Amino acid sequence: MNRRQLLTYGVFGLGATALAPGLARSGPRAAQSQTARDRIERIAIHPALGIARVGNSPDEWFLGPEAPGSHPLPPEGFKDSAGRIKRQAARFRLYGFDAEGEVVGEVTAAGADIRWRVHLANSKAAWYSFDLPFDIPGAKGLPAGPGLAAPPPTRSLRRNAPVADRASLAIDPGARSVGGRNANADGQDAGARFAGGMFFDIEVPLGELRTDDAGRLLVLGGSGESGPAAGGLEATDIDNNDLWYDDTSDGPVDATVSIAGRAIPVTGAWVVVAPPNYAPGIQSVVTMYDVMFEAATILQPELAPMPPSFTRMIYPMFARLVQNQWVNAGFLHRFGWGAASDFLAPEQLRRLASPSPQHRPLRQEVFARFRDPAYTSMNYDELPPYYGDSVNFPGTDPRQWLAVLPIQYGWLRQWAAGDFEADWPAAGLTFPARLEDVPIAAQPAMLDRAVLDDCLGGPFHPGCELTWPMRQPLLYAEPFRLRRRVGVEPDWGPAMTSELALAADGPLRASGPGDLTRWLAVPWQTDTASCLSAYERSLDEYLPAFWPAHVPNDVLAPASYQVVLDPAASLGQRQDAFTHRVKWLRDLPGFGRSNRERMNAFVAQWSAAGIVTPQPGPEDDAPFPATFWVELGHALVDDSSVVSK
């Protein structure tokens, strides 16, 4: 089975049981033997797009997900003993391929000379304001749906337009390189640190490079620092705050590799340093992997699997709806443990996984609940219950709410008709504990997916880690890999429009350092503190929501969790405690009163927000889930004088 077949089928598996049929499990294999090294014709860096996350713990960090199905839980949790958030490191590996495109093995410092090079930058303040995603009808000046009037085309002006020296707005410390084993292990090597980047006269460090004991690259981002160039200047807008900066970033990842004196060509990757994930391991119904895979199938239609696998394509959407019960009370009531639409209840799941004509009415009823991505109706109550790319109150655009991707909707349509691969394992799914437990041939694609499934695939208003340009095939040189810009980027003029943004020779044609994150909010904290849930309480108390899988709305607090665990409490008391949710941003200044106050308070207290973390369920036989997700580390204080630790 070649790599293209793995990309088409195997990567969709959530674990070892979902790999392509006939692909035997094998232990980890490195391309260290002389015979193996001689077969290597090219090397590729994986993940093709890695994700690091900011954190303000000065010494502690953890690795992001590398194997599908689970998120690493750092020792002692996601915060240090002082309550500061640990940074998430992005780790990059090298895989050698032979002349036929087969994976030979992982290339490490044990058998090769490796030198890594990364260039991070933050150019948000030098870019254009976010108003709407430029790839939706409303931004293009087209009617958003049948019978709707055409709005004027979106015209987004430059951020900080009066500033003539545009270079003073871009935080660009230049490229850094590192090599060998355990390089910069203590983080103090000045040559490996992204220092020296300036926002006006303010130095804004963007992180550092390290390597592990096998010579793999580790990218650690900034400390979560955000602020204005002038003291006392408040943030006033959700997405666009002039004279403000943050220390998220992105840029290319490259390596030079020599094996026994023979230089091997290396296909590069990209890294994004994103905000923290406040519910690590909980996925949105549409992930960034889904978005980028759909773009890949446009570039290479043969990658689209037909018919869809229940295990690999259908089940994840249902599982994610259920999983969101831990971050939004509306999901709990609709899809949570014991709810009518708990798609993971054993009998319900058995019927959903069956192609039997007997269960066709159920499949069709469930399919009918999903919003059509053609966006032909204005119905807030369809699935998934998220806000969309174009949000106004009252809503005037069907994209007020999110739909699954067209490729996902097509899979659901086939599933409803009974045209799907009925491959649900009788014993349920199992997941690899680590990437090394995955067959070597599947590791590169599995690594790509594990990283991107941990990122949101919408709504893009504008988003958390990445945003709407990731939908555009124009962005990519090949599936999952960005096309690189050579030379200086053109000046795109005083305003960005849909026509310009989507042009074949426009800004998406090729990317340079800082180009992915510049489309997002500045600073990120104002967007995170603003995009919550249930803005029209007359429709629903809890839904729709924006990004609950990473920015929770309603959480299970430790006190309620302890009641559920207590066998001495009555079953009724335990059930009441299980369903009791509290607001994630409770105790934040301005919460429920003033969005402006809340945004500025979150800039100061972002690391004091709780992180939803998996915890074991009750040890007795009480009717509760085996795993709970509990908010830990909540330390927000309703005091505007409090500053971030």
Side-chain angles (χ1 to χ4, degrees), residues 82-161:
R84 297 167 297 198
I85 292 179
K86 300 174 184 178
R87 289 184 292 173
Q88 175 178 304
R91 179 159 63 179
F92 291 88
R93 301 171 185 244
L94 298 164
Y95 286 91
F97 294 81
D98 64 17
E100 285 71 46
E102 302 287 345
V103 180
V104 175
E106 184 182 359
V107 177
T108 70
D113 294 321
I114 302 168
R115 189 75 186 175
W116 297 93
R117 184 179 187 274
V118 180
H119 188 165
L120 294 179
N122 176 314
S123 57
K124 288 182 175 182
W127 196 235
Y128 298 87
S129 65
F130 172 80
D131 297 294
L132 280 176
F134 282 115
D135 60 349
I136 66 174
K140 299 176 182 179
L142 301 174
L148 298 177
T154 296
R155 188 172 183 269
S156 296
L157 302 178
R158 292 187 195 270
R159 290 169 173 158
N160 300 289

Side-chain angles (χ1 to χ4, degrees), residues 23-84:
L23 183 61
R25 288 179 58 87
S26 64
R29 183 171 83 231
Q32 311 305 348
S33 72
Q34 185 64 48
T35 302
R37 292 198 300 265
D38 289 346
R39 290 173 51 210
I40 294 175
E41 295 291 328
R42 66 177 182 87
I43 291 171
I45 301 173
H46 287 271
L49 194 154
I51 300 292
R53 297 184 187 275
V54 301
N56 62 344
S57 177
D59 303 310
E60 297 185 48
W61 53 274
F62 64 96
L63 287 171
E66 294 187 313
S70 62
H71 194 290
L73 182 62
E76 309 304 324
F78 293 96
K79 292 190 176 186
D80 66 16
S81 59
R84 297 167 297 198

